[in-house]
Amino acid sequence: MAKAGKNYGNESISLLEGAERVRKRPGVIFGSDGLDGCEHAVFEILSNSIDEAREGHGKGITLTHYADGSIEVEDNGRGCPVDWNPKEKRYNWELVYCELYAGGKYNNLDGDNYEYSLGLNGLGACATQYASRYMDVTVWRDGNKYSLHFERGQITGKKGEELKIEPTDRGKKTGTLTRWLPDLDVFTDINIPASYFTDVLRRQAVVNAGITFRFRDQVGGKFETQEFLYENGIVDYVTELAGEGALTTPVFWETERRGRDREDKPEYKVKLSCACCFSNRVNVIEHYHNSSWLEHGGAPEKATKTAFVYAIDKYLKDSGKYQKNESKITWQDVEDCLVLVSNNFSTQTSYENQTKKSITNKFVQEAMTDFLKSRLETYFIENRVEALKIAEQVLINKRSRESAEKQRLNIKKKLIGEFNLHTVVRLPGSVFSPYTSITTNLLFFDNTKPTTETWFYRVDIPSDRKHFSKTKPMELKHFDDCITWWNNREVIPDGEYFKAQKYTADYLLNEQGCNIDLCGYPHEEEEVLDPLDTIREYQERRTALNAEIDKVLAELEALLPGGVTE
């Protein structure tokens, strides 16, 4: 039992103010107080430069990683306004770098600055400044050069003289340069690998066609430089991903729609674009929204699944490609041969949280589903040879999957029936396949006897991680709790489910159908079809069921002498 603490009264409630709001709780803004959070802070500053470039102000962005761990982002946009703001009666540098929820991107629905922007909440620049050991900001605009210096979330300089103003040293050129050192007092790890920077800049080059992203990495006193530029954006990227020998040539589709997430909500604009092709060698699917890579998908991912399964299934039925009584294709069958990148923008975006890795806009999902269904239907009509290739490959994937599932079932039956499968350790899917929910298990068995009972144990992702990856792999320390449990096994309840539990072989074989994915992780919500698709699906099920009933009745009738008299 926990020890009784001090009295919890009115005086126990306190308020975090200023920099402490971020420095004491960085995970609220950045999603983590570990390396993931430190990396996201970089993206917050980079986002401001991207928004400027996409609005037509500058064609290049340079990110420099210095040997001391400090980071610098420089653009040639209009320059962040930092001088006196007569409306707010404060300096803009205070609003941008010292106030959360202050910025110039709140009026995008009215056609003001930044119609489609990465930054929406007025948090990034201020939060990153608060979380830094130091930050230097230099702005060139209005014929002046403005300089600011912050340390541990506080501006330096005498009161009223914090903003240094001098004549510009760049002629007519404008822009913003931000250099900062992430603070180890805020983040548990600030050693960002070069691979993170190159991955982010490459992705931003893909979804911001024609903008050059330059990375300078200081190594051994010298700067190693890489540049990323995709003149035609996602089409060039899909072509690069697919390589030679793709089943179909990459196509590019785009449209604009207006709508609402709910009838009483304001109308907003959505710009949808997608590049895709099919391949029997490569499968890659990536979704971006307002330039942010949607690592966890959300609305665009659901729309893609619904539209592609619906359109290809319809084509297979209409062209008679299914065998008699053959089951319908699944998303996995399509996904295994699809190379697709979507790049959408909206004037109003509902991100799952500040890290912007998933969006939940209902209208975006509906608009994208309708858009992709329509384009696919037209594509299949106008490109009959390609449509046939796609149909054949998807059916190959489907039939191979079903065959493999039967083989896996037989292997599991043999494993449980002939060997002693005593322990199954569940691992997060991202251990071997980052950003996916692919099941990963460690099986422990011997050949001493048939299985009588099997223990299951789930290894959870640590609290400072959202997933594992090549740059942040799973380590031996992440098995510490499992090793402790291994030597003293017991059932561990987890709400309505279990983190650790023991099951009999009979239960696994007869009640679970040899399922060894027990004590698992939360799965994605079941896909919800739109009303028309739901109606069509139920009509198809009813038609198939009626046909099966008619078949059985005919067989019964044939067995009865003289048939059946009504």
Side-chain angles (χ1 to χ4, degrees):
M1 181 180 291
K3 294 181 179 180
K6 295 180 180 179
N7 291 333
Y8 180 64
N10 289 319
E11 71 283 356
S12 303
I13 305 299
S14 60
L15 172 68
L16 291 177
E17 297 184 294
E20 295 302 294
R21 290 175 289 177
V22 174
R23 294 181 67 83
K24 286 194 173 182
R25 295 291 185 270
V28 175
I29 300 294
F30 302 116
S32 166
D33 65 353
L35 188 61
D36 284 351
C38 186
E39 291 173 343
H40 185 71
V42 175
F43 191 66
E44 291 288 353
I45 299 300
L46 181 64
S47 296
N48 293 328
S49 295
I50 292 169
D51 286 341
E52 273 290 282
R54 196 166 54 242
E55 288 287 309
H57 306 291
K59 283 292 183 181
I61 297 171
T62 301
L63 190 154
T64 303
H65 183 220
Y66 291 95
D68 65 355
S70 62
I71 302 142
E72 181 182 272
V73 175
E74 181 177 9
D75 63 51
N76 50 4
R78 292 168 291 183
C80 178
V82 291
D83 215 331
W84 183 255
N85 185 328
K87 179 183 176 182
E88 299 291 340
K89 296 181 181 180
R90 295 177 67 181
Y91 280 97
N92 277 320
W93 66 260
E94 294 181 83
L95 299 174
V96 174
Y97 295 103
C98 300
E99 289 289 351
L100 298 173
Y101 297 101
K105 302 171 184 178
Y106 289 120
N107 297 320
N108 60 337
L109 286 174
D110 301 326
D112 206 341
N113 286 313
Y114 306 111
E115 181 178 27
Y116 301 113
S117 67
L118 258 170
L120 290 174
N121 300 324
L123 296 172
C126 175
T128 302
Q129 187 278 113
Y130 281 163
S132 301
R133 178 64 58 92
Y134 71 82
M135 176 180 279
D136 288 311
V137 179
T138 308
V139 175
W140 292 268
R141 64 173 290 143
D142 304 325
N144 294 320
K145 176 184 177 181
Y146 300 88
S147 303
L148 294 160
H149 180 70
F150 302 89
E151 292 184 4
R152 288 187 169 88
Q154 303 296 326
I155 188 69
T156 61
K158 293 182 180 179
K159 183 71 174 177
E161 298 179 8
E162 300 95 340
L163 179 63
K164 182 180 179 182
I165 308 175
E166 54 191 322
T168 183
D169 55 0
R170 288 192 171 187
K172 294 183 178 180
K173 292 183 179 180
T174 58
T176 302
L177 184 151
T178 307
R179 180 172 176 176
W180 75 101
L181 177 66
D183 198 340
L184 263 176
D185 291 339
V186 177
F187 300 109
T188 59
D189 188 355
I190 63 172
N191 295 313
I192 302 175
S195 59
Y196 169 79
F197 298 108
T198 55
D199 182 62
V200 167
L201 295 180
R202 180 182 289 107
R203 291 181 185 281
Q204 290 308 309
V206 166
V207 294
N208 291 285
I211 299 175
T212 300
F213 290 81
R214 184 177 297 106
F215 175 54
R216 300 169 67 237
D217 190 21
Q218 189 176 32
V219 180
K222 296 182 179 180
F223 287 97
E224 299 175 355
T225 303
Q226 296 182 62
E227 287 192 353
F228 305 95
L229 171 66
Y230 288 82
E231 287 288 358
N232 300 304
I234 60 176
V235 179
D236 287 349
Y237 184 47
V238 166
T239 302
E240 177 186 294
L241 290 172
E244 297 181 0
L247 292 173
T248 64
T249 302
V251 294
F252 176 76
W253 302 320
E254 62 179 340
T255 191
E256 287 193 9
R257 304 282 175 90
R258 300 187 73 92
R260 294 176 168 85
D261 288 329
R262 206 172 65 196
E263 197 171 315
D264 60 333
K265 292 290 185 178
E267 183 179 75
Y268 62 93
K269 186 162 66 173
V270 176
K271 184 178 180 181
L272 304 170
S273 65
C274 171
C276 64
C277 70
F278 285 81
S279 169
N280 55 10
R281 301 178 182 178
V282 182
N283 66 292
V284 180
I285 298 173
E286 295 178 3
H287 299 288
Y288 297 83
H289 195 89
N290 288 2
S291 288
S292 185
W293 175 38
L294 302 181
E295 187 178 325
H296 306 305
E301 181 181 37
K302 292 177 181 178
T304 301
K305 289 180 178 181
T306 300
F308 272 80
V309 171
Y310 171 82
I312 296 175
D313 175 63
K314 185 176 184 299
Y315 174 82
L316 291 170
K317 289 174 180 174
D318 293 346
S319 57
K321 297 297 180 183
Y322 280 126
Q323 296 174 358
K324 187 176 180 181
N325 298 324
E326 185 172 9
S327 61
K328 177 182 173 179
I329 61 167
T330 66
W331 165 243
Q332 182 182 335
D333 307 323
V334 178
E335 182 184 25
D336 285 347
C337 58
L338 180 61
V339 180
L340 178 145
V341 178
S342 74
N343 185 25
N344 305 326
F345 298 88
S346 65
T347 52
Q348 183 169 305
T349 306
S350 298
Y351 289 107
E352 193 174 76
N353 52 45
Q354 176 63 15
T355 58
K356 302 183 178 78
K357 294 180 180 180
S358 176
I359 68 168
T360 59
N361 293 64
K362 183 173 181 287
F363 174 65
V364 171
Q365 182 176 339
E366 292 172 349
M368 188 171 175
T369 301
D370 180 68
F371 162 62
L372 290 175
K373 282 182 180 180
S374 174
R375 291 305 176 95
L376 284 166
E377 186 174 5
T378 302
Y379 177 82
F380 290 151
I381 293 171
E382 296 178 350
N383 301 271
R384 296 186 180 279
V385 174
E386 287 78 5
L388 183 60
K389 289 180 181 178
I390 294 168
E392 290 177 347
Q393 186 59 53
V394 171
L395 284 175
I396 288 172
N397 293 347
K398 172 187 173 296
R399 291 161 185 165
S400 297
R401 172 180 56 80
E402 291 173 341
S403 175
E405 287 172 354
K406 291 179 181 178
Q407 292 177 14
R408 282 196 295 271
L409 181 61
N410 290 334
I411 290 173
K412 289 177 184 178
K413 286 181 178 178
K414 185 171 183 178
L415 178 62
I416 296 171
E418 300 181 17
F419 296 85
N420 178 27
L421 177 64
H422 56 81
T423 312
V424 176
V425 175
R426 304 294 313 280
L427 302 183
S430 60
V431 170
F432 297 112
S433 302
Y435 324 124
T436 72
S437 58
I438 296 175
T439 300
T440 310
N441 298 329
L442 296 179
L443 309 183
F444 297 85
F445 61 94
D446 55 51
N447 62 355
T448 58
K449 61 177 182 177
T451 303
T452 56
E453 59 184 27
T454 303
W455 277 99
F456 287 77
Y457 180 89
R458 185 185 73 221
V459 177
D460 292 318
I461 296 177
S463 59
D464 63 339
R465 298 280 186 91
K466 287 187 177 290
H467 53 73
F468 294 108
S469 65
K470 291 181 180 178
T471 57
K472 290 169 283 189
M474 194 172 194
E475 301 174 40
L476 182 60
K477 64 181 181 181
H478 297 131
F479 287 94
D480 287 348
D481 290 344
C482 179
I483 293 171
T484 300
W485 169 87
W486 186 285
N487 296 321
N488 186 24
R489 301 187 179 197
E490 61 181 2
V491 174
I492 304 176
D494 183 16
E496 298 179 7
Y497 306 98
F498 294 93
K499 177 180 173 68
Q501 177 62 292
K502 179 173 61 176
Y503 299 97
T504 65
D506 181 68
Y507 177 79
L508 295 175
L509 286 169
N510 300 318
E511 295 190 42
Q512 284 294 318
C514 294
N515 175 25
I516 55 173
D517 295 332
L518 305 179
C519 295
Y521 302 86
H523 284 75
E524 191 178 40
E525 294 180 9
E526 184 178 351
E527 184 178 4
V528 178
L529 301 176
D530 61 48
L532 287 177
D533 284 346
T534 303
I535 292 170
R536 291 191 191 99
E537 184 164 295
Y538 276 111
Q539 286 174 336
E540 291 168 0
R541 289 182 185 177
R542 185 174 64 182
T543 300
L545 183 59
N546 286 339
E548 186 65 24
I549 291 171
D550 290 342
K551 178 184 175 183
V552 173
L553 287 174
E555 291 174 352
L556 290 173
E557 184 177 353
L559 294 174
L560 296 173
V564 175
T565 303
E566 294 186 4

CSV table of all heavy atoms in Angstrom, one decimal, residues 43-44 47-48 50-51 54 104-106 108 113-114 116-124 290 292 351 354 356:
chain,number,residue,atom,x,y,z
A,43,PHE,N,11.9,19.8,-36.6
A,43,PHE,CA,10.9,19.9,-37.6
A,43,PHE,C,10.0,21.1,-37.4
A,43,PHE,O,9.5,21.7,-38.4
A,43,PHE,CB,10.0,18.6,-37.6
A,43,PHE,CG,9.1,18.5,-38.8
A,43,PHE,CD1,9.6,18.4,-40.1
A,43,PHE,CD2,7.7,18.6,-38.6
A,43,PHE,CE1,8.8,18.3,-41.2
A,43,PHE,CE2,6.9,18.5,-39.7
A,43,PHE,CZ,7.4,18.3,-41.0
A,44,GLU,N,9.8,21.5,-36.2
A,44,GLU,CA,9.0,22.7,-35.9
A,44,GLU,C,9.6,24.0,-36.5
A,44,GLU,O,9.0,24.8,-37.1
A,44,GLU,CB,8.8,22.9,-34.4
A,44,GLU,CG,7.9,21.9,-33.7
A,44,GLU,CD,6.4,22.1,-34.1
A,44,GLU,OE1,6.1,23.1,-34.7
A,44,GLU,OE2,5.7,21.2,-33.7
A,47,SER,N,9.6,23.7,-40.4
A,47,SER,CA,8.3,23.9,-40.9
A,47,SER,C,8.0,25.4,-41.3
A,47,SER,O,7.4,25.7,-42.3
A,47,SER,CB,7.2,23.5,-39.9
A,47,SER,OG,7.3,22.1,-39.7
A,48,ASN,N,8.5,26.3,-40.5
A,48,ASN,CA,8.3,27.7,-40.7
A,48,ASN,C,8.9,28.1,-42.0
A,48,ASN,O,8.4,28.9,-42.8
A,48,ASN,CB,8.8,28.6,-39.6
A,48,ASN,CG,8.0,28.4,-38.3
A,48,ASN,OD1,6.8,28.1,-38.4
A,48,ASN,ND2,8.6,28.5,-37.2
A,50,ILE,N,9.6,26.1,-44.5
A,50,ILE,CA,8.9,25.4,-45.6
A,50,ILE,C,7.6,26.1,-46.0
A,50,ILE,O,7.3,26.3,-47.2
A,50,ILE,CB,8.5,23.9,-45.2
A,50,ILE,CG1,9.8,23.1,-45.0
A,50,ILE,CG2,7.6,23.3,-46.2
A,50,ILE,CD1,9.6,21.8,-44.4
A,51,ASP,N,6.9,26.6,-45.0
A,51,ASP,CA,5.7,27.4,-45.2
A,51,ASP,C,6.0,28.6,-46.1
A,51,ASP,O,5.2,29.0,-47.0
A,51,ASP,CB,5.0,27.8,-43.9
A,51,ASP,CG,4.3,26.6,-43.2
A,51,ASP,OD1,4.0,25.6,-43.9
A,51,ASP,OD2,4.1,26.7,-42.0
A,54,ARG,N,6.9,27.5,-49.7
A,54,ARG,CA,5.7,27.0,-50.5
A,54,ARG,C,4.8,28.2,-50.9
A,54,ARG,O,4.0,28.1,-51.8
A,54,ARG,CB,4.9,26.0,-49.7
A,54,ARG,CG,4.0,25.2,-50.5
A,54,ARG,CD,3.4,23.9,-49.9
A,54,ARG,NE,2.8,24.2,-48.6
A,54,ARG,CZ,3.2,23.7,-47.5
A,54,ARG,NH1,4.3,22.9,-47.5
A,54,ARG,NH2,2.6,23.9,-46.4
A,104,GLY,N,1.2,33.8,-37.1
A,104,GLY,CA,0.6,34.5,-38.2
A,104,GLY,C,-0.2,33.5,-39.1
A,104,GLY,O,-0.4,33.8,-40.3
A,105,LYS,N,-0.6,32.4,-38.6
A,105,LYS,CA,-1.3,31.4,-39.5
A,105,LYS,C,-2.7,31.0,-39.0
A,105,LYS,O,-3.2,29.9,-39.4
A,105,LYS,CB,-0.4,30.1,-39.5
A,105,LYS,CG,1.0,30.4,-40.0
A,105,LYS,CD,2.0,29.3,-39.9
A,105,LYS,CE,3.4,29.7,-40.3
A,105,LYS,NZ,4.4,28.6,-40.1
A,106,TYR,N,-3.3,31.9,-38.3
A,106,TYR,CA,-4.7,31.6,-37.8
A,106,TYR,C,-5.8,32.0,-38.8
A,106,TYR,O,-6.9,31.6,-38.6
A,106,TYR,CB,-4.9,32.3,-36.4
A,106,TYR,CG,-4.1,31.7,-35.3
A,106,TYR,CD1,-3.2,32.4,-34.6
A,106,TYR,CD2,-4.2,30.3,-35.0
A,106,TYR,CE1,-2.4,31.9,-33.6
A,106,TYR,CE2,-3.5,29.8,-33.9
A,106,TYR,CZ,-2.6,30.6,-33.2
A,106,TYR,OH,-1.9,30.0,-32.2
A,108,ASN,N,-5.9,31.5,-42.1
A,108,ASN,CA,-5.8,30.9,-43.5
A,108,ASN,C,-7.1,30.6,-44.1
A,108,ASN,O,-7.2,30.5,-45.4
A,108,ASN,CB,-4.9,29.7,-43.4
A,108,ASN,CG,-5.5,28.6,-42.5
A,108,ASN,OD1,-6.2,28.9,-41.6
A,108,ASN,ND2,-5.1,27.4,-42.8
A,113,ASN,N,-2.2,35.0,-45.1
A,113,ASN,CA,-1.0,34.4,-45.3
A,113,ASN,C,-1.1,32.9,-45.0
A,113,ASN,O,-1.9,32.5,-44.2
A,113,ASN,CB,0.1,35.0,-44.4
A,113,ASN,CG,0.5,36.3,-44.8
A,113,ASN,OD1,0.8,36.5,-46.0
A,113,ASN,ND2,0.5,37.3,-43.9
A,114,TYR,N,-0.3,32.1,-45.7
A,114,TYR,CA,-0.2,30.7,-45.5
A,114,TYR,C,-1.5,29.9,-45.6
A,114,TYR,O,-2.1,29.4,-44.6
A,114,TYR,CB,0.4,30.4,-44.1
A,114,TYR,CG,1.7,31.1,-43.8
A,114,TYR,CD1,1.8,32.1,-42.9
A,114,TYR,CD2,2.9,30.7,-44.5
A,114,TYR,CE1,3.0,32.8,-42.6
A,114,TYR,CE2,4.1,31.4,-44.3
A,114,TYR,CZ,4.2,32.4,-43.3
A,114,TYR,OH,5.3,33.0,-43.1
A,116,TYR,N,-2.1,27.1,-47.0
A,116,TYR,CA,-1.9,25.7,-46.6
A,116,TYR,C,-0.5,25.7,-45.8
A,116,TYR,O,0.5,25.8,-46.4
A,116,TYR,CB,-1.7,24.8,-47.8
A,116,TYR,CG,-2.9,24.7,-48.7
A,116,TYR,CD1,-2.8,25.2,-50.0
A,116,TYR,CD2,-4.1,24.2,-48.3
A,116,TYR,CE1,-3.9,25.2,-50.9
A,116,TYR,CE2,-5.2,24.1,-49.1
A,116,TYR,CZ,-5.1,24.6,-50.4
A,116,TYR,OH,-6.2,24.6,-51.3
A,117,SER,N,-0.6,25.5,-44.5
A,117,SER,CA,0.6,25.6,-43.7
A,117,SER,C,0.8,24.4,-42.8
A,117,SER,O,-0.1,23.8,-42.4
A,117,SER,CB,0.6,26.9,-42.9
A,117,SER,OG,-0.4,26.8,-41.9
A,118,LEU,N,2.1,24.1,-42.6
A,118,LEU,CA,2.5,23.1,-41.6
A,118,LEU,C,2.2,23.5,-40.2
A,118,LEU,O,1.7,22.8,-39.4
A,118,LEU,CB,4.0,22.7,-41.8
A,118,LEU,CG,4.4,21.5,-42.6
A,118,LEU,CD1,5.9,21.5,-42.8
A,118,LEU,CD2,4.0,20.2,-41.8
A,119,GLY,N,2.6,24.8,-40.0
A,119,GLY,CA,2.4,25.3,-38.7
A,119,GLY,C,1.0,25.9,-38.5
A,119,GLY,O,0.6,26.7,-39.4
A,120,LEU,N,0.3,25.5,-37.5
A,120,LEU,CA,-1.1,26.0,-37.3
A,120,LEU,C,-1.4,26.5,-35.9
A,120,LEU,O,-2.3,27.3,-35.7
A,120,LEU,CB,-2.1,24.9,-37.7
A,120,LEU,CG,-2.2,24.4,-39.1
A,120,LEU,CD1,-3.1,23.2,-39.2
A,120,LEU,CD2,-2.8,25.6,-40.0
A,121,ASN,N,-0.6,26.0,-35.0
A,121,ASN,CA,-1.0,26.2,-33.6
A,121,ASN,C,-0.3,27.3,-32.9
A,121,ASN,O,-0.6,27.6,-31.7
A,121,ASN,CB,-0.8,24.9,-32.8
A,121,ASN,CG,-1.7,23.8,-33.3
A,121,ASN,OD1,-2.8,24.0,-33.8
A,121,ASN,ND2,-1.2,22.6,-33.3
A,122,GLY,N,0.8,27.9,-33.5
A,122,GLY,CA,1.5,29.0,-32.9
A,122,GLY,C,2.3,28.5,-31.7
A,122,GLY,O,2.5,29.1,-30.7
A,123,LEU,N,2.9,27.2,-31.8
A,123,LEU,CA,3.6,26.6,-30.7
A,123,LEU,C,5.1,26.4,-31.0
A,123,LEU,O,5.9,26.5,-30.2
A,123,LEU,CB,3.0,25.3,-30.4
A,123,LEU,CG,1.5,25.3,-29.8
A,123,LEU,CD1,1.0,23.8,-29.7
A,123,LEU,CD2,1.5,26.0,-28.5
A,124,GLY,N,5.4,26.0,-32.3
A,124,GLY,CA,6.7,25.5,-32.6
A,124,GLY,C,7.9,26.3,-32.3
A,124,GLY,O,8.8,25.9,-31.6
A,290,ASN,N,-0.2,18.8,-45.8
A,290,ASN,CA,0.5,20.1,-45.5
A,290,ASN,C,2.0,19.9,-45.3
A,290,ASN,O,2.6,20.5,-44.5
A,290,ASN,CB,-0.2,20.8,-44.4
A,290,ASN,CG,-1.6,21.3,-44.7
A,290,ASN,OD1,-2.1,21.1,-45.8
A,290,ASN,ND2,-2.2,22.0,-43.8
A,292,SER,N,3.6,17.5,-44.0
A,292,SER,CA,4.0,16.7,-42.8
A,292,SER,C,3.7,15.2,-43.2
A,292,SER,O,2.7,14.8,-43.7
A,292,SER,CB,3.1,17.0,-41.6
A,292,SER,OG,3.5,16.3,-40.5
A,351,TYR,N,-5.0,17.5,-36.7
A,351,TYR,CA,-4.0,16.6,-36.4
A,351,TYR,C,-4.3,15.8,-35.1
A,351,TYR,O,-4.9,16.4,-34.2
A,351,TYR,CB,-2.6,17.3,-36.3
A,351,TYR,CG,-2.1,17.8,-37.5
A,351,TYR,CD1,-2.1,19.2,-37.8
A,351,TYR,CD2,-1.5,17.0,-38.5
A,351,TYR,CE1,-1.5,19.7,-39.0
A,351,TYR,CE2,-1.0,17.5,-39.7
A,351,TYR,CZ,-1.0,18.8,-39.9
A,351,TYR,OH,-0.5,19.3,-41.1
A,354,GLN,N,0.2,17.5,-31.6
A,354,GLN,CA,1.2,18.5,-32.1
A,354,GLN,C,2.3,17.8,-33.0
A,354,GLN,O,2.9,18.5,-33.8
A,354,GLN,CB,1.8,19.2,-30.9
A,354,GLN,CG,2.9,20.2,-31.3
A,354,GLN,CD,2.4,21.4,-32.1
A,354,GLN,OE1,1.2,21.6,-32.2
A,354,GLN,NE2,3.3,22.1,-32.7
A,356,LYS,N,1.9,15.9,-35.4
A,356,LYS,CA,1.4,15.9,-36.8
A,356,LYS,C,1.7,14.6,-37.6
A,356,LYS,O,2.0,14.7,-38.7
A,356,LYS,CB,2.0,17.1,-37.5
A,356,LYS,CG,1.7,18.5,-36.9
A,356,LYS,CD,2.2,19.6,-37.7
A,356,LYS,CE,1.9,21.0,-37.1
A,356,LYS,NZ,2.8,21.3,-36.0
